[in-house]
Amino acid sequence: VTPKGSSPTLRLMAAASVLFSAAYAPAHRIGAVPALRRPLAARVPPALLDGSAEDGAAFSAAAQLGREPGTCDPYDPKSAEYCSPPEPAPSSLKRTIRLGVLFFLWYSLNTAYNIGNKLVLTAFPMPWTAATWELFFGFPYVFLLWSTGLRKTPKISLESIKLLAPSGILLAGTHVGGVISFGLGAISFTHVLKATEPVWSALISALFFRDFLPLPVYASLVPIIAGVSLASLKELTFSWMSFIAGTGSAVTSAAKAILSKKVLDGKSLGENLTPANMFAVLSILGFCAILPVSLALEGPAKASAAWSAALAAGYTTPYLLKLLACSGFLYYIYNEVAFLALAEVAPVTHAVTNTVKRVVIILASILVFKTTITPLGAAGSAITVAGALLYALAKNKYK
């Protein structure tokens, strides 16, 4: 409950926290539902999750489920095709409602983050600083959970940190690339660029791991490439820096998912490394990686000048702080909700819901910022997003 007269920002954050807590609580009451309806972490032997048994490193959770290797990459749930549980049997009304609430929160929070982040960059055009702050924002949140025992504290060794460091760096690259693209172009166009991730995933797998996909899967990449080309050609706010940053975000996201699948699978990385805790660890590593770069490119002097320019443009310090706080809070909390929502759905379900989410964000951003989009640009965007869905479905069918 927020005090009477508190700001709309604080009330929004409080309301989101309450809704998130309400949706999260039932996730622990898994004893009364069939095994296939339980979250993946509840159905996989502990040795496969936290490495506590001597032979835990010799197996993987994916292998136990008869699926491809993988580590259930927490930041990019599209990699869930090799670590998700099977589609559950017809579920109860209670579970259906709970999943509906989780997906609604995921869409709402993710959309709110994209809009909030764009507002931050409009007022304070320092993308590296903003991205660094958003990665940092999770620190006090997870430390509170760990210190109070509300969430088990992860236990990892120095060797595990070294193994996870590249994933943390790629996470930071994915995030800062998206933020830079958001700041220099339209949110809708950035998400079209992010939808090209399957193209880069297929290319990286083929070039570096000699891992080739069936021809129908490669064929599904054609609409993505054609759609992005059309959308770029007719994008009214097109800038090469926005294009490069958005594409870079897709490349690093694909590389991180492949790294998780090819390099980290089967390794005992530590105890209590649930997807949410793994995201927290990777966020910390990503923050440590991005902070020196951020200070070098946008040091205190530049940040101070940008802040002064924002004040001169009519913004106030409390308003700017609220924008930054909301942006950091929404970035972290929408990822947490995504873990809960995606833990119990199969790859096809996830592919569909992720596509719908991207469409919702694109449409919401166009409405909020009154983005002008040409008919051909809209057609290119639609073809790209549909192509990403087609790729996910084809890969699931021919894997």
Side-chain angles (χ1 to χ4, degrees):
V1 178
T2 55
K4 183 177 181 181
S6 59
S7 70
T9 301
L10 293 177
R11 291 198 295 272
L12 172 63
M13 295 173 66
S17 298
V18 171
L19 286 172
F20 172 66
S21 300
Y24 180 83
H28 296 289
R29 304 189 189 112
I30 58 178
V33 298
L36 283 181
R37 297 183 189 173
R38 301 179 185 180
L40 177 61
R43 294 187 284 105
V44 177
L48 302 177
L49 291 177
D50 58 24
S52 57
E54 294 180 1
D55 59 348
F59 303 94
S60 71
Q64 291 292 306
L65 293 172
R67 295 182 176 272
E68 297 179 44
T71 56
C72 301
D73 185 302
Y75 181 72
D76 181 11
K78 287 185 287 299
S79 64
E81 65 228 21
Y82 50 76
C83 61
S84 288
E87 187 75 62
S91 57
S92 66
L93 177 61
K94 181 179 179 181
R95 180 177 180 277
T96 301
I97 293 175
R98 175 175 169 268
L99 282 177
V101 171
L102 286 174
F103 276 107
F104 174 77
L105 285 173
W106 177 33
Y107 287 9
S108 300
L109 293 170
N110 201 337
T111 302
Y113 161 70
N114 280 264
I115 293 173
N117 185 254
K118 181 67 174 179
L119 292 174
V120 167
L121 295 171
T122 299
F124 183 65
M126 304 290 283
W128 285 88
T129 302
T132 304
W133 161 252
E134 286 163 358
L135 287 174
F136 169 80
F137 196 88
F139 283 28
Y141 173 72
V142 294
F143 286 156
L144 175 65
L145 295 179
W146 291 339
S147 62
T148 57
L150 293 175
R151 178 181 297 172
K152 290 185 178 181
T153 305
K155 300 177 181 179
I156 54 178
S157 64
L158 180 60
E159 290 301 314
S160 294
I161 292 177
K162 291 179 180 178
L163 283 174
L164 291 172
S167 292
I169 293 172
L170 290 172
L171 180 149
T174 298
H175 184 52
V176 74
V179 171
I180 292 173
S181 186
F182 284 152
L184 297 176
I187 292 177
S188 54
F189 184 59
T190 298
H191 277 280
V192 171
L193 296 174
K194 281 175 169 285
T196 65
E197 182 178 332
V199 176
W200 306 112
S201 179
L203 184 62
I204 294 171
S205 296
L207 290 180
F208 294 96
F209 296 96
R210 310 302 295 173
D211 184 3
F212 299 98
L213 299 169
L215 185 59
V217 180
Y218 283 122
S220 69
L221 298 176
V222 175
I224 300 177
I225 298 172
V228 168
S229 300
L230 184 59
S232 300
L233 182 66
K234 295 299 180 179
E235 173 58 38
L236 298 179
T237 61
F238 180 87
S239 77
W240 277 110
M241 184 57 70
S242 176
F243 178 86
I244 293 171
T247 303
S249 179
V251 172
T252 53
S253 181
K256 185 167 64 61
I258 293 172
L259 179 69
S260 295
K261 179 178 178 180
K262 300 293 186 181
V263 179
L264 301 180
D265 177 61
K267 291 182 173 62
S268 179
L269 298 173
E271 299 182 24
N272 303 326
L273 280 178
T274 60
N277 272 348
M278 178 67 85
F279 176 68
V281 171
L282 293 181
S283 294
I284 293 172
L285 293 174
F287 168 77
C288 294
I290 200 178
L291 180 61
V293 181
S294 179
L295 290 175
L297 296 178
E298 300 176 350
K302 289 185 178 180
S304 177
W307 193 273
S308 298
L311 296 179
Y315 295 99
T316 65
T317 295
Y319 179 76
L320 292 174
L321 292 175
K322 288 176 184 178
L323 281 181
L324 287 169
C326 277
S327 177
F329 170 78
L330 291 169
Y331 169 72
Y332 205 90
I333 207 70
Y334 95 71
N335 279 287
E336 291 261 309
V337 174
F339 305 149
L340 295 176
L342 297 169
E344 301 178 38
V345 298
V348 172
T349 304
H350 176 266
V352 174
T353 55
N354 196 59
T355 300
V356 173
K357 180 210 72 174
R358 199 174 295 281
V359 171
V360 169
I361 293 174
I362 289 174
L363 293 177
S365 65
I366 291 174
L367 291 174
V368 171
F369 295 106
K370 297 179 173 57
T371 305
T372 302
I373 184 168
T374 65
L376 286 179
S381 300
I383 292 171
T384 303
V385 174
L389 173 61
L390 183 62
Y391 168 84
L393 297 177
K395 190 175 180 183
N396 181 69
K397 180 178 180 179
Y398 292 100
K399 66 182 178 180

